[in-house]
Amino acid sequence: MAGDFTLLAAVSLLSAFQQCHFARLVGKSRMKHKVMPPAVTGAPEFERTFRAQQNCVEFYPAFLTVLWITGCFFNQEIAAILGLLYVFARYKYFHGYVQSVKGRLTGFYLNLIVLACLGILGAVGIVNSFLDEYLHFRIMKKLSKLI
């Protein structure tokens, strides 16, 4: 059974490692700028690093939710590809934010597009599953006949 979700698990693990890496970079920035916990203010570079990491943490539950829903109800391969794109977008966002406030925007917009795609595809998958399971309406078969 675990093999059925290998791609989703791999992307999830990669994203978890990324979250740990970002947290480590906040710790390094704390030491560099001598900002002792629990303080979250200090040099502008530290504050941007801290805020970038916190923003990544805030979006993380939504990402994991739509990643797995899309993978389970729509298509695992498409979900995994979008998940990798999300990890890349978060990388661009984090490192862009550390450099400057405006530097975060490219990664942020890409991140929103990926999350929207995952959310929409996940919803389509759930609706399709509901129609098939409870109403015995197989929309995918009907669409494939049209094509």
Side-chain angles (χ1 to χ4, degrees):
M1 181 166 160
D4 295 341
F5 301 110
T6 303
L7 295 175
L8 297 176
V11 171
S12 297
L13 190 59
L14 177 65
S15 69
F17 288 150
Q18 183 183 53
Q19 292 293 317
C20 292
H21 176 67
F22 292 161
R24 185 166 164 15
L25 291 177
V26 170
K28 288 175 103 175
S29 186
R30 276 188 183 283
M31 290 177 11
K32 177 181 175 182
H33 298 288
K34 297 176 178 44
V35 179
M36 304 296 4
V40 293
T41 58
E45 182 186 343
F46 166 75
E47 290 181 7
R48 288 191 310 270
T49 304
F50 178 78
R51 199 59 236 148
Q53 188 262 342
Q54 286 300 298
N55 288 344
C56 290
V57 167
E58 291 164 4
F59 274 86
Y60 196 56
F63 163 67
L64 287 177
T65 301
V66 294
L67 173 73
W68 278 85
I69 288 173
T70 301
C72 292
F73 287 93
F74 187 80
N75 182 288
Q76 181 178 199
E77 290 81 10
I78 291 172
I81 290 167
L82 287 170
L84 290 174
L85 190 55
Y86 177 87
V87 169
F88 172 73
R90 277 287 135 184
Y91 173 86
K92 294 283 291 173
Y93 171 83
F94 184 90
H95 291 286
Y97 204 167
V98 169
Q99 295 302 315
S100 72
V101 173
K102 287 185 179 181
R104 78 192 195 288
L105 294 177
T106 301
F108 181 72
Y109 291 135
L110 181 57
N111 167 65
L112 290 180
I113 291 167
V114 170
L115 284 177
C117 289
L118 284 168
I120 291 166
L121 294 176
V124 166
I126 289 171
V127 167
N128 181 59
S129 181
F130 174 82
L131 291 172
D132 186 24
E133 181 72 25
Y134 297 106
L135 302 176
H136 306 293
F137 183 74
R138 290 165 180 77
I139 196 164
M140 295 312 274
K141 281 188 180 180
K142 291 188 184 297
L143 287 175
S144 66
K145 286 181 183 177
L146 293 173
I147 298 174

